[in-house]
Amino acid sequence: MRLGFSTMNGPDDVRPDVLARALEERGYDSLWLGEHSHIPASRKTPYPSGGEMPHNYVTMMDPFVSLTMAAMATKELKVGTGVCLALEHDILDLAKTVASLDVMSGGRVLFGVGVGWNEEELANHRPIPWSARYRGLEEAVAALRALWTQHDSEFHGEFYDFDAAWSFPKPLQQPTPPVLLGVGGKLGTQHAVRWADEWMPMDIALGNVEKKIGKFREAAEAAGRGDIPITIVAFGDPTIERLHEYKELGVVRVVLGAQYKGWHDPSSIIPFADRYAAYIDELR
């Protein structure tokens, strides 16, 4: 099992190129950055974890700019979106951005996608009903795959519709960079089984992780998908015993860094990475 690392990618955090080099030197396999294009000031949608939304959600930088810096500073470290809110992008522009990053990184992109949690945020971007967000995301990924794999790319759907177009460059990874769906609920996992290359839930959203992984694998087998790789995003400060449990469950990667103790302090990032780096060889 491999270890990845994530931060909130704020302007006061460790620079992404500096962090990426540090992670690669310590044996981490990947750096993951999420995104929020903006946070609506209305705050009608409650923060999923309860209480006040941490302020560093407001100051998140663009993940693709930061991941480009990370890729240029490293040789083998994979660069992942954890997650990209694909519905908040122009689909033609997003296809080129991801493909360009994959080419420039030498084929190291892991494309994590999700629907987000802020209803007003999505509404500011697209006229996709909140109730249709999973269906919209499925179609967005289908459109991206068409743009990445077809010379004359064409797509006609409910939410995305374009005639034959030339969209280049194509990703270096063929047919496409792996698409990881970052969801934990019942509907989301049904979508992961149906169309994602990999599943990337946060452990806190699963409750009984062993039970949920078992049900997910049963559903994947019944759908004829076989063994879909699973990456777990660990919330907080997991123990080494917990990490070994994930390894025994066949999880291929655990991403660390989500709301660990002291995560508001940028000076804690490298020490936190150092703490878990000591377990990397043991968990392989």
Side-chain angles (χ1 to χ4, degrees), residues 162-229:
F162 51 87
D163 292 327
W166 295 331
S167 178
F168 290 89
K170 303 301 185 186
L172 189 62
Q173 297 180 85
Q174 288 297 314
T176 73
V179 178
L180 297 85
L181 183 52
V183 294
K186 183 178 180 179
L187 178 59
T189 53
Q190 290 172 351
H191 277 265
V193 167
R194 186 161 66 243
W195 55 263
D197 296 317
E198 304 185 25
W199 186 38
M200 188 173 64
M202 181 172 281
D203 55 6
I204 195 173
L206 298 181
N208 187 324
V209 175
E210 182 177 3
K211 181 179 179 180
K212 289 294 180 63
I213 285 179
K215 287 188 173 182
F216 177 79
R217 289 203 170 111
E218 289 174 2
E221 186 67 28
R225 292 292 312 279
D227 188 14
I228 300 174

Side-chain angles (χ1 to χ4, degrees), residues 19-284:
L19 177 60
R21 280 194 297 268
L23 294 175
E24 186 167 75
E25 290 168 358
R26 287 157 175 77
Y28 283 87
D29 104 300
S30 51
L31 170 63
W32 299 80
L33 301 178
E35 73 169 341
H36 283 280
S37 62
H38 69 293
I39 297 293
S42 69
R43 295 294 293 112
K44 292 179 181 178
T45 302
Y47 182 56
S49 298
E52 286 298 316
M53 182 193 71
H55 183 68
N56 45 8
Y57 276 89
V58 177
T59 59
M60 292 173 73
M61 298 188 294
D62 181 270
F64 292 105
V65 173
S66 294
L67 290 175
T68 299
M69 291 182 65
M72 296 302 98
T74 54
K75 295 180 179 180
E76 298 181 357
L77 189 79
K78 296 183 183 299
V79 289
T81 50
V83 292
C84 170
L85 302 179
L87 294 177
E88 299 183 7
H89 291 262
D90 175 87
I91 205 70
L92 298 168
D93 182 65
L94 182 59
K96 186 176 289 287
T97 297
V98 176
S100 298
L101 178 57
D102 199 54
V103 169
M104 290 190 295
S105 67
R108 288 186 275 151
V109 170
L110 297 171
F111 187 52
V113 297
V115 295
W117 54 268
N118 193 312
E119 183 173 354
E120 293 79 40
E121 181 179 353
L122 175 60
N124 285 344
H125 280 279
R126 300 188 63 82
I128 293 179
W130 185 247
S131 60
R133 63 195 184 280
Y134 284 103
R135 194 168 76 249
L137 180 60
E138 179 178 10
E139 192 171 288
V141 171
L144 287 168
R145 285 171 169 156
L147 291 162
W148 289 334
T149 60
Q150 300 171 9
H151 184 278
D152 292 1
S153 305
E154 186 172 355
F155 189 86
H156 301 286
E158 179 183 359
F159 304 109
Y160 298 91
D161 187 8
F162 51 87
D163 292 327
W166 295 331
S167 178
F168 290 89
K170 303 301 185 186
L172 189 62
Q173 297 180 85
Q174 288 297 314
T176 73
V179 178
L180 297 85
L181 183 52
V183 294
K186 183 178 180 179
L187 178 59
T189 53
Q190 290 172 351
H191 277 265
V193 167
R194 186 161 66 243
W195 55 263
D197 296 317
E198 304 185 25
W199 186 38
M200 188 173 64
M202 181 172 281
D203 55 6
I204 195 173
L206 298 181
N208 187 324
V209 175
E210 182 177 3
K211 181 179 179 180
K212 289 294 180 63
I213 285 179
K215 287 188 173 182
F216 177 79
R217 289 203 170 111
E218 289 174 2
E221 186 67 28
R225 292 292 312 279
D227 188 14
I228 300 174
I230 299 172
T231 289
I232 291 284
V233 179
F235 188 90
D237 304 64
T239 63
I240 182 59
E241 291 78 16
R242 176 61 59 86
L243 295 178
H244 273 290
E245 290 174 4
Y246 292 162
K247 179 181 179 181
E248 291 169 5
L249 290 171
V251 171
V252 300
R253 178 188 297 107
V254 171
V255 178
L256 303 164
Q259 296 200 29
Y260 62 87
K261 186 177 180 180
W263 76 308
H264 297 286
D265 180 4
S267 69
S268 70
I269 292 174
I270 294 298
F272 181 82
D274 282 338
R275 185 181 1 145
Y276 286 93
Y279 302 135
I280 287 176
D281 289 339
E282 178 181 339
L283 291 167
R284 280 181 179 148

